[in-house]
Amino acid sequence: MVTMRDVAALAGVSITTVSHVINETRPVAGDTRERVQKAIDETGYTGDAIARSLVMGGTKSLGLAVSLVSHPYFAELIAAIESEATRNGYTLVLIDTRDTPESEQTAVRMLRSRRVDGLLLTPSAGGGSLVLPELKRLGIPTVLVDRLTVSKDIDQVGPENVQATSGLVKHLAELGHRRIGIVCGKTGVATTEERILGYRLGLGRAGLKWDEALVSQSGWLAPLLDQDDPATAVVAADHLVTIGMLHEARARGLKLGTDLAVVAYDEVEWATLIEPPLTTLAQPVEEIGRTAVKLLLNRIADPARPPETIRLAPSLMHRQSCGC
């Protein structure tokens, strides 16, 4: 293993000087710094992160516990988080929660065992019921991302779901629809519950009655169409639900915007490639990721600061699948 002593010998400087260059603990003359950096490049020296963490009192790493299979949207979110962490000099350690409370607890404890300086968590169904009390009790700097709680004692950042979904329903009602349904994905997840609440709020604002038969929490469109008085317009609550709905509509020979009005929460890269183009709500994914890292670094720097809850509004991508 290449050591700091090897780098110092090749650069013709002391070990202390190499340490100052690597850790930026003291100014070093430009030509000396260049020689040290050249020696680092030639030897492939990486340093000893464990030893450095004992000296510095931190690992300069952040943990991210998130489901890697439940939603394609998370890939973009992870990229935004990693970019912001790297920009601030931190390494991101990623572990899959598999979207179950038990796996989530195992993932979080594994991140803690790696002595990460703080945790970013997208809670599984159940809202982190196993891990959140533990993290709060131990005082681990933590930020919830995407799926938030009603709790005010933890930092969290995610999309605004209630008013945004209400706006989608209002738009469909203004187009004359009176049988407006919603298709949801995974139950017990905060985002799902909030979007259903927004759907219900939108119905009330449009003067329409709540009808449980128009809510499909199975992820399937069929229950809303196989009724004596079927839905004429539908809100898709997330990316995966949208895909399933489009397959079902095609199988039935339904033309979007004409036979069935469709709006979707979550922008998809192919939204403008289908006919007619899909009306969606685009989440500010990059801003959510960046904000999550900033909140966590602020918490690490000042553990006593008041917790923050930040809701970022999605943008309406108005196209033709709604019938406009």
Side-chain angles (χ1 to χ4, degrees):
M1 181 178 178
V2 179
T3 67
M4 195 179 292
R5 185 181 300 276
D6 299 323
V7 174
L10 184 60
V13 299
S14 68
I15 295 176
T16 302
T17 298
V18 175
S19 176
H20 288 323
V21 171
I22 293 173
N23 297 310
E24 298 183 347
T25 49
R26 186 175 299 175
V28 177
D31 59 337
T32 302
R33 178 179 291 275
E34 287 182 11
R35 293 206 313 273
V36 171
Q37 190 59 58
K38 183 178 179 182
I40 290 172
D41 293 340
E42 290 181 4
T43 59
Y45 176 73
T46 59
D48 188 335
I50 295 175
R52 188 160 54 246
S53 71
L54 293 175
V55 175
M56 305 295 289
T59 60
K60 293 294 285 186
S61 63
L62 305 177
L64 173 59
V66 62
S67 172
L68 300 181
V69 297
S70 67
H71 206 299
Y73 146 86
F74 284 136
E76 188 178 351
L77 180 62
I78 291 168
I81 289 172
E82 182 175 33
S83 176
E84 185 66 19
T86 301
R87 194 179 70 81
N88 284 276
Y90 281 78
T91 299
L92 188 68
V93 182
L94 174 65
I95 296 188
D96 186 3
T97 65
R98 296 183 174 84
D99 227 0
T100 68
E102 295 76 20
S103 295
E104 178 179 71
Q105 186 176 55
T106 299
V108 166
R109 287 180 174 176
M110 189 173 296
L111 289 171
R112 285 177 45 218
S113 74
R114 291 174 177 265
R115 298 189 179 278
V116 295
D117 296 339
L119 278 167
L120 298 156
L121 171 66
T122 298
S124 63
S129 57
L130 293 179
V131 299
L132 286 184
E134 184 176 292
L135 292 171
K136 292 175 183 178
R137 185 177 69 253
L138 295 172
I140 307 297
T142 302
V143 174
L144 302 187
V145 188
D146 186 67
R147 300 171 179 174
L148 311 189
T149 74
V150 295
S151 175
K152 299 299 183 183
D153 62 350
I154 192 167
D155 292 310
Q156 46 188 351
V157 56
E160 196 293 307
N161 292 303
V162 177
Q163 298 299 331
T165 309
S166 173
L168 288 179
V169 175
K170 178 175 180 289
H171 180 62
L172 293 172
E174 288 174 345
L175 294 175
H177 294 281
R178 291 297 174 263
R179 297 288 289 172
I180 302 172
I182 185 169
V183 181
C184 306
K186 195 174 184 67
T187 59
V189 172
T191 48
T192 298
E193 301 304 321
E194 289 171 1
R195 289 167 196 172
I196 291 177
L197 178 60
Y199 162 76
R200 191 163 190 166
L201 178 64
L203 291 178
R205 287 173 171 172
L208 301 177
K209 292 183 178 180
W210 163 266
D211 184 349
E212 194 170 347
L214 290 175
V215 179
S216 172
Q217 296 197 56
S218 64
W220 297 105
L221 173 63
L224 305 187
L225 301 179
D226 294 336
Q227 302 180 22
D228 293 336
D229 190 8
T232 62
V234 182
V235 177
D238 66 42
H239 181 134
L240 294 179
V241 164
T242 301
I243 294 173
M245 284 180 53
L246 295 180
H247 280 296
E248 181 67 22
R250 175 176 292 183
R252 292 173 179 251
L254 300 177
K255 182 174 175 56
L256 301 188
T258 302
D259 303 317
L260 181 69
V262 173
V263 294
Y265 199 111
D266 275 346
E267 171 72 331
V268 288
E269 60 184 9
W270 39 263
T272 59
L273 301 180
I274 64 173
E275 184 58 40
L278 189 63
T279 295
T280 66
L281 281 174
Q283 298 192 57
V285 184
E286 285 200 17
E287 189 178 357
I288 290 172
R290 291 195 304 268
T291 302
V293 173
K294 291 175 183 176
L295 278 178
L296 185 54
L297 296 183
N298 289 342
R299 175 61 55 198
I300 292 170
D302 182 8
R305 63 188 295 274
E308 290 185 66
T309 293
I310 299 176
R311 295 276 189 176
L312 299 172
S315 301
L316 178 64
M317 311 302 288
H318 192 190
R319 303 186 181 104
Q320 288 76 53
S321 66
C322 53
C324 293

